[in-house]
């Protein structure tokens, strides 16, 4: 028997993404966003309201980065979601993390997170079905600690996912199959 739940955002896992921008004074701003995905191969869609400091910065600078949060930095990742850049101007500095300037866009790369997508701002959408920042991925970098034979090894990334049912974070680190291969066993 199935039980009816009082929840509508029930897709799991939801990625824990760190969206980083520069403030108007050059300081770093970061927010935690679980509502993000790839819209196309080189296009990121982030469901973010315009009231976020990050969205204001994205529009002003025309750029942002998206880092995949990892289990080692779950406290910092959560902090970026519970503290507002509109209220705390030194939000990033309080985290103790460090940044480098992105290679291709005017946005920061958080050094401690292992994978980073550098994005050019395309547009902001606001309609009855959602709001969001759309960006074109122009560069992807990964820390050498998560690389194996020239490719990212996701088991080394220890990415975390958000659980909308209980508001927990879960480690996503074990490979359980081969995409586009395992299902072929059922083809006739």
């Amino acid at each position: 028997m199935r039980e009816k739940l009082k929840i509508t955002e029930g897709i799991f896992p939801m990625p824990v993404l760190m969206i980083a921008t520069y403030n108007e004074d050059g300081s770093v701003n970061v927010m935690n966003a679980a509502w993000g995905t790839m819209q196309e191969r080189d296009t990121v869609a982030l469901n973010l309201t315009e009231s976020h400091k990050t969205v204001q910065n994205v529009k002003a600078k025309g750029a942002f980065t998206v880092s995949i949060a990892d289990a080692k930095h779950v406290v910092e990742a959560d902090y970026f979601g519970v503290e507002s850049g509109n209220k705390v101007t030194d939000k990033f500095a309080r985290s103790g993390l460090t940044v480098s300037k992105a290679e291709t866009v005017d946005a920061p790369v958080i050094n401690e997170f292992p994978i980073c997508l550098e994005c050019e701002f395309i547009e902001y959408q606001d309609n009855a079905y959602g709001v969001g920042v759309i960006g074109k991925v122009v560069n992807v970098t990964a820390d050498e600690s998560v690389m194996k034979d020239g490719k990212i090894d996701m088991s080394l990334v220890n990415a975390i996912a958000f659980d909308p049912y209980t508001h927990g974070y879960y480690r996503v680190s074990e490979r359980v199959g081969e995409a586009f291969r395992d299902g072929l066993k059922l083809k006739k």
Side-chain angles (χ1 to χ4, degrees):
M1 176 182 251
R2 299 183 70 80
E3 189 172 327
K4 186 175 181 174
L5 303 175
K6 293 179 181 173
I7 185 173
T8 57
E9 69 275 9
I11 293 178
F12 176 82
M14 293 175 77
V16 179
L17 306 173
M18 301 294 102
I19 315 306
T21 60
Y22 287 121
N23 291 316
E24 54 279 343
D25 66 358
S27 63
V28 175
N29 182 68
V30 181
M31 75 173 289
N32 178 324
W35 296 82
T37 190
M38 296 302 297
Q39 190 174 36
E40 294 181 42
R41 285 202 181 279
D42 66 349
T43 308
V44 171
L46 306 169
N47 193 348
L48 308 173
T49 60
E50 234 170 340
S51 61
H52 289 291
K53 178 67 174 156
T54 303
V55 174
Q56 297 165 21
N57 290 346
V58 167
K59 287 177 154 186
K61 293 288 187 176
F64 59 98
T65 59
V66 177
S67 293
I68 298 174
D70 63 353
K72 185 176 179 181
H73 300 97
V74 69
V75 170
E76 294 88 345
D78 191 58
Y79 172 71
F80 293 137
V82 298
E83 189 67 84
S84 170
N86 285 319
K87 295 178 182 172
V88 177
T89 56
D90 65 344
K91 176 178 162 179
F92 182 77
R94 291 182 184 196
S95 75
L97 300 180
T98 62
V99 295
S100 299
K101 185 172 180 342
E103 292 177 25
T104 60
V105 298
D106 188 17
V109 172
I110 305 168
N111 297 322
E112 288 77 7
F113 292 118
I115 300 173
C116 182
L117 288 70
E118 298 178 15
C119 303
E120 293 175 349
F121 175 56
I122 296 174
E123 71 174 303
Y124 185 80
Q125 297 178 345
D126 187 2
N127 60 50
Y129 299 104
V131 296
V133 170
I134 309 299
K136 179 178 177 62
V137 179
V138 295
N139 193 32
V140 179
T141 60
D143 189 89
E144 62 186 19
S145 67
V146 299
M147 302 293 290
K148 193 174 187 180
D149 299 324
K151 295 181 181 178
I152 294 174
D153 181 339
M154 288 307 291
S155 68
L156 298 174
V157 172
N158 282 313
I160 56 174
F162 172 67
D163 162 20
Y165 296 98
T166 66
H167 293 173
Y169 293 113
Y170 288 83
R171 183 187 329 250
V172 181
S173 59
E174 182 183 354
R175 188 180 189 114
V176 296
E178 301 302 317
F180 309 107
R181 232 155 91 230
D182 289 351
L184 296 176
K185 297 171 189 167
L186 300 178
K187 279 186 92 169
K188 297 195 187 244

